[in-house]
Amino acid sequence: MNQMVKHSSEGTVPWPAEDAERYRAEGYWEDRPLGAWVHEAAQRFPDRTAVVDGADGTRMSYAELVDRADAAAERLLGLGLRRDDRVLVVLPNGWQFVVLTLACFRAGIIPVMALPAHRRYELRFLGNLAEARAIVAADEIKGFDYQELADELRPEVPTLEWTLVSGVPREGNVGLEELLRPGEDPAGARARLDAAAPAGTDPALFLLSGGTTGLPKLITRTHNDYAYNIRACSAVAGLTEDSVYLVSMPVSHNFPLACPGVLGALFLGARVVTLPSPNPARAFPVIAQEAVTITAVVPAVAQKWIEHQEEHRTDQLGTLQVLQVGGSRMPDELARRVRPVLGCTLQQVFGMAEGLINMTRLDDPEEVVCTTQGRPVSPADEIRIVDALLEDLPDGTPGAILTRGPYTPRGYYAAPEANAKSFEEGGWYASGDIVERRPDGNLIVQGRDKDMINRGGEKVSAEEIESLVYQIPGLSIVAAVSMPDPVLGEKVCLYAQMAGEDPLTLEQVQEHLKKAGVAAYKIPEKVVVVDEIPTTKVGKIDKKALRADIAQRMSLQA
Ligand code: OOB
């Protein structure tokens, strides 16, 4: 069967040759694979600690990290995986994720960065789209059995041949910790992998798109573009070899992975500390013990941390210098509380897995830090703010943001229809965000023009939920919209107009989606049955009216 998997570069949209040439000439692309950057750090600092797993206490030096990664790379190839093969990664935060990802980079095997929250519905789709040959998951998390899930997936994703399991593998599955153990011949492994290293323009990993259209999409990030993404973000976040970076949000997200994230720390010889969750009662003591200097969270978590600190007045945050916050809009009032309460510098981050990263600068005035989402991290990032006819708008007028640059790919993987929707002529990516650019260049995210719900940084495509709910009999029209939530910012609310007499219930929807194998964060938390779903003049569902309606219903309840 493995002979049937034939990967072509067709699915990946390359940068035009003249842009690629310019990115090289200007030093953004260095034609060096991601693994080489970490090896270089390991050469400089072999004995420094690279990774601390805050959950199981594992500590690993740089020498050990690259040794394990190289040994694992050769073992993956030894299993039968080949360069360019895709591996579905569903791991929680921990040292295993770090070593495995690096092993993949070294072997030219492409990790598909799925989430532990994903279930059969998402993984089946992603596995088939990527033609994944292996899946890597924990044995179980909070009572959920990932090996059973993998067993269910195997017949549905015919390319899958191996299940790699962290923890206790069942018969037929490959033990991940065994695979990631150090090797016998580090220098030999290194030389062999170096000789067959992937090219800078080769795909390094697949990130998941935040979901604007119905189906999830994959974003090919190359070694060249991702290495530059990482380096540009490191510079703006002030990362150095002495930094200690804590990752407590799901590490397969672009933000904690590479902005500058875990990989930024490993490029420099800094220390990475992993935790499976950002719960402050757990995270704060770890920040103190490991002398964490920088971390990245979504606004909902920043709020929890601020509340926790206000209540407990801990002395655990003394080393924390920078709190990066992004993934959804941080309210200005919340931003203003970061420095006085947590005692560190706030860095707002407005980014996307598709590329473009904006950040406030560490020395920006408090006004900029608390009321804007910053500006591009690279001088080569191009930005336009346009109206509906794609005419450029003056500064101060909100419009749709278009972008292109050395780390913003020109298309999704194997998705010509989505590309036609999201990429404009000239290769400009339209993120669907409504943004105002101030005369000083800083951006303010004012809203969005995409059918997506941003649940505390996790993105939910309305269309995806609607098409699943339509499978329930008795419905005439359904519409998923965001409803305000004091902690998460938004949650998923479902409006329904019935064809028959019996009204749709929340339990019915939740049960249906759970049975369909949909990730829990996407499942609607409220259902509103109405006589008639409002439509616009051109006959489209009026989601704006629905969002206003649910906001009003909720304010009446409160
Ligand atoms: C990050 O990446 P994604 O791919 O999960 O989501 C991107 C979308 C943006 O298009 C925007 O709609 C929203 O998330 N977003 C923000 C925001 N940061 C992201 N909206 C308002 N304010 C912000 N600060 O979310 C992501 C990737 C890398 C770094 C940071 C975030």
Side-chain angles (χ1 to χ4, degrees):
M1 160 182 328
N2 54 21
Q3 302 310 325
M4 284 167 54
V5 183
K6 217 175 79 199
H7 302 303
S8 61
S9 53
E10 260 164 52
T12 296
V13 185
W15 278 263
E18 61 273 22
D19 291 310
E21 220 168 279
R22 182 162 50 93
Y23 295 150
R24 277 199 182 87
E26 293 175 4
Y28 302 119
W29 289 6
E30 297 200 17
D31 289 304
R32 206 187 321 166
L34 292 169
W37 291 91
V38 183
H39 261 285
E40 191 189 277
Q43 199 128 28
R44 288 175 61 202
F45 308 114
D47 301 325
R48 288 180 77 143
T49 302
V51 185
V52 177
D53 187 316
D56 73 3
T58 301
R59 305 181 85 84
M60 210 177 281
S61 69
Y62 268 90
E64 189 182 348
L65 170 66
V66 294
D67 169 17
R68 280 179 183 261
D70 282 2
E74 293 208 308
R75 289 186 195 110
L76 288 170
L77 296 168
L79 274 181
L81 282 159
R82 294 159 314 198
R83 182 144 153 194
D84 273 348
D85 277 346
R86 292 84 200 260
V87 170
L88 206 46
V89 179
V90 200
L91 288 173
N93 292 4
W95 68 267
Q96 295 92 335
F97 177 96
V98 180
V99 179
L100 176 81
T101 300
L102 197 53
C104 288
F105 293 160
R106 290 288 286 155
I109 291 167
I110 306 173
V112 181
M113 296 297 180
L115 296 170
H118 286 144
R119 292 293 179 261
R120 209 176 71 243
Y121 171 78
E122 288 87 15
L123 297 176
R124 178 177 56 215
F125 181 85
L126 297 169
N128 281 319
L129 178 58
E131 300 173 88
R133 294 189 72 204
I135 177 167
V136 193
D139 48 5
E140 61 103 30
I141 300 177
K142 290 189 193 143
F144 183 81
D145 186 337
Y146 286 88
Q147 298 194 77
E148 208 176 289
L149 174 64
D151 289 345
E152 286 170 18
L153 279 172
R154 291 282 283 266
E156 298 182 323
V157 184
T159 52
L160 275 180
E161 289 177 68
W162 298 279
T163 302
L164 279 58
V165 175
S166 167
V168 186
R170 286 206 278 271
E171 204 184 326
N173 294 343
V174 180
L176 185 63
E177 284 75 11
E178 177 79 6
L179 187 104
L180 302 179
R181 74 188 187 278
E184 266 94 64
D185 173 23
R190 180 176 182 185
R192 286 187 294 273
L193 291 164
D194 280 348
T201 46
D202 284 345
L205 71 162
F206 280 154
L207 293 176
L208 274 50
S209 153
T212 44
T213 54
L215 295 168
K217 292 175 295 296
L218 291 173
I219 305 157
T220 314
R221 302 296 300 261
T222 63
H223 288 271
N224 272 344
D225 90 72
Y226 218 47
Y228 179 56
N229 183 120
I230 291 161
R231 291 187 298 120
C233 288
S234 291
V236 177
L239 213 66
T240 73
E241 63 197 53
D242 295 319
S243 299
V244 180
Y245 182 91
L246 170 68
V247 53
S248 70
M249 306 297 301
V251 60
S252 34
H253 280 311
N254 191 31
F255 186 17
L257 184 61
C259 303
V262 166
L263 294 174
L266 296 182
F267 270 33
L268 290 171
R271 183 176 300 183
V272 170
V273 179
T274 69
L275 271 180
S277 108
N279 174 0
R282 181 101 183 273
F284 283 16
V286 170
I287 290 174
Q289 272 156 33
E290 299 297 333
V292 168
T293 61
I294 174 168
T295 191
V297 298
V298 293
V301 169
Q303 184 175 338
K304 279 210 184 104
W305 283 20
I306 287 171
E307 284 164 5
H308 184 89
Q309 183 63 6
E310 278 174 341
E311 187 177 339
H312 299 280
R313 301 268 159 217
T314 76
D315 56 3
Q316 295 164 328
L317 303 180
T319 56
L320 190 65
Q321 293 164 6
V322 177
L323 182 70
Q324 293 187 299
V325 180
S328 65
R329 179 68 151 89
M330 183 178 217
D332 296 358
E333 316 78 71
L334 184 65
R336 288 198 187 90
R337 286 159 69 194
V338 170
R339 187 184 290 283
V341 179
L342 302 178
C344 59
T345 300
L346 169 65
Q347 178 165 58
Q348 291 213 44
V349 184
F350 162 44
M352 48 205 74
E354 285 83 351
L356 177 72
I357 306 293
N358 304 280
M359 292 183 182
T360 55
R361 303 309 197 250
L362 300 182
D363 58 357
D364 273 344
E366 208 66 3
E367 181 268 330
V368 170
V369 169
C370 295
T371 64
T372 84
Q373 283 66 57
R375 48 199 183 277
V377 294
S378 167
D381 283 319
E382 299 175 78
I383 283 186
R384 291 173 58 198
I385 309 291
V386 298
D387 65 14
L389 299 171
L390 302 183
E391 300 285 347
D392 289 282
L393 291 166
D395 288 347
T397 307
I401 184 169
L402 303 182
T403 185
R404 57 184 189 190
Y407 62 95
T408 302
R410 299 297 171 93
Y412 290 110
Y413 175 72
E417 277 176 34
N419 288 345
K421 276 192 197 157
S422 298
F423 289 83
E424 303 296 344
E425 194 168 337
W428 296 89
Y429 171 62
S431 77
D433 295 297
I434 303 298
V435 173
E436 173 192 336
R437 181 166 47 197
R438 310 199 321 180
D440 64 4
N442 286 301
L443 306 177
I444 302 174
V445 183
Q446 298 286 19
R448 63 177 178 261
D449 180 21
K450 54 181 164 184
D451 208 359
M452 173 262 267
I453 296 129
N454 191 334
R455 188 183 185 277
E458 294 294 0
K459 315 305 186 307
V460 185
S461 155
E463 220 178 299
E464 182 174 76
I465 299 308
E466 289 158 4
S467 64
L468 284 160
V469 172
Y470 270 120
Q471 298 165 347
I472 304 174
L475 287 163
S476 173
I477 306 175
V478 294
V481 293
S482 63
M483 61 178 173
D485 182 79
V487 177
L488 294 170
E490 299 173 16
K491 280 183 173 177
V492 184
C493 170
L494 191 83
Y495 274 80
Q497 177 181 324
M498 307 308 297
E501 291 291 302
D502 294 338
L504 184 72
T505 66
L506 179 63
E507 292 67 39
Q508 231 181 324
V509 171
Q510 294 185 331
E511 200 187 313
H512 178 77
L513 293 181
K514 203 168 165 206
K515 242 167 110 190
V518 175
Y521 67 85
K522 296 181 181 174
I523 297 181
E525 287 165 89
K526 190 172 187 73
V527 167
V528 181
V529 176
V530 291
D531 291 340
E532 206 180 330
I533 297 242
T535 52
T536 63
K537 275 185 225 139
V538 293
K540 281 185 19 182
I541 293 175
D542 190 348
K543 293 214 164 174
K544 211 170 146 188
L546 291 176
R547 283 190 291 267
D549 183 70
I550 187 62
Q552 199 201 359
R553 281 171 195 255
M554 292 179 66
S555 68
L556 289 177
Q557 263 174 24

